[in-house]
Amino acid sequence: MLASTVLADHEAVSTAAAVSIAARLESKPHALLCLATGATPLRTYEILARHGRAAPCLTRFMKVIKLDEWGGLAMERPGTCETFLRNALVTPLGLDSRYIGFNSNPANPAAECTRVRDWLAANGPIDTAILGLGLNGHLGFNEPDDALQPHAHIATLSPESLRHSMLSNEPERPTFGLTLGMSDLLHARRILLLVTGKAKRDALRRLIQGPITTRFPASFLHLHPEVTLLVDAAAAGRTR
Ligand code: GLP
């Protein structure tokens, strides 16, 4: 069973996650981090950026790969994962030369997946993946389905993903997703999964109870030997 650490609230989870990432970077300064976007990890990244600005040696060598992206939106749209990560970490820490991610609006999405796949084959595996849990159990845009994909691929976005808050001010809907695959994530040396808020309560329960099924992709984390699952009291059902 996946063991979770329950902390008081989103701030406590974010602080614990940032401390854990910073400790990892102290022992492995060149670590490749895979970063999810969304409401859950934002505060973690803000705290990490603060640590990095106070002690630049901490983040000087780290590399970052973006977990996923909304396909069909221009890169500079406020709702893209690109804008999110650039604002939260890439620009504050000056990571440009050590950062890679999907172009959100590539002329050839399949070729874009090949580019990211090749980069990860040459520069991976991921050291630490910082992930959030989709309401439907997705990891990145590995959406519930009959089968899951191992590497970077084009995804069909679920209705839940299309309702995600990152898109609430976007006039256009993304027409597809771009995401690292399940094998990419399961080969990360370490996974930090953050789950906060009451809305995630059912998803968290389903994750912890299993079973392992492609209909709930995060359930595959039961197969990984080093998952740190940080949750807040609201997601754990310890508050009303
Ligand atoms: C989005 C993102 C994922 C993210 C997840 C949860 O669709 N593509 O990378 O982890 O959904 O987002 P949130 O933390 O906002 O609940």
Side-chain angles (χ1 to χ4, degrees):
M1 194 156 116
L2 274 176
S4 59
T5 300
V6 183
L7 299 166
D9 53 21
H10 184 251
E11 184 66 16
V13 166
S14 305
T15 302
V19 166
S20 166
I21 298 164
R24 185 70 167 190
L25 289 172
E26 267 170 28
S27 61
K28 298 186 77 177
H30 291 82
L32 171 62
L33 307 186
C34 167
L35 301 184
T37 54
T40 313
L42 178 58
R43 182 73 184 129
T44 298
Y45 300 158
E46 285 172 359
I47 299 169
L48 186 63
R50 204 177 60 211
H51 283 316
R53 280 197 304 267
C57 51
L58 187 69
T59 54
R60 187 173 292 152
F61 302 114
M62 73 187 240
K63 286 173 281 179
V64 167
I65 185 164
K66 178 171 63 171
L67 169 63
D68 57 4
E69 188 55 273
W70 305 107
L73 300 186
M75 280 286 254
E76 52 286 348
R77 291 297 314 164
T80 59
C81 304
E82 182 72 15
T83 298
F84 177 106
L85 279 186
R86 284 199 174 274
N87 290 344
L89 272 185
V90 176
T91 303
L93 294 178
L95 297 176
D96 288 78
S97 62
R98 287 170 282 123
Y99 166 67
I100 178 166
F102 297 101
N103 180 341
S104 58
N105 199 15
N108 182 340
E112 181 62 3
C113 292
T114 303
R115 182 182 73 86
V116 172
R117 192 181 308 188
D118 289 349
W119 187 92
L120 193 54
N123 295 278
I126 293 162
D127 180 74
T128 303
I130 294 106
L131 303 178
L133 176 65
L135 287 170
N136 63 357
H138 74 203
L139 289 180
F141 288 131
N142 293 279
E143 301 275 26
D145 207 337
D146 289 341
L148 300 175
Q149 304 224 28
H151 300 300
H153 62 278
I154 302 165
T156 302
L157 294 170
S158 64
E160 290 88 346
S161 292
L162 287 167
R163 285 196 294 269
H164 194 276
S165 58
M166 287 175 80
L167 299 174
S168 42
N169 293 322
E170 286 298 330
E172 310 275 336
R173 295 293 86 184
T175 46
F176 56 96
L178 294 158
T179 185
L180 298 186
M182 292 301 290
S183 175
D184 298 328
L185 299 180
L186 292 171
H187 280 88
R189 295 200 177 92
R190 183 171 172 252
I191 293 175
L192 200 50
L193 178 65
L194 312 180
V195 187
T196 61
K198 194 175 167 188
K200 296 283 173 74
R201 203 174 276 185
D202 287 343
L204 179 64
R205 190 181 309 123
R206 211 172 151 194
L207 168 66
I208 289 175
Q209 286 175 354
I212 298 169
T213 166
T214 61
R215 290 282 157 197
F216 197 86
S219 63
F220 279 76
L221 295 179
H222 284 273
L223 302 176
H224 193 283
E226 206 181 330
V227 177
T228 300
L229 173 54
L230 300 179
V231 312
D232 71 357
R238 297 195 187 167
T239 57
R240 287 208 213 160

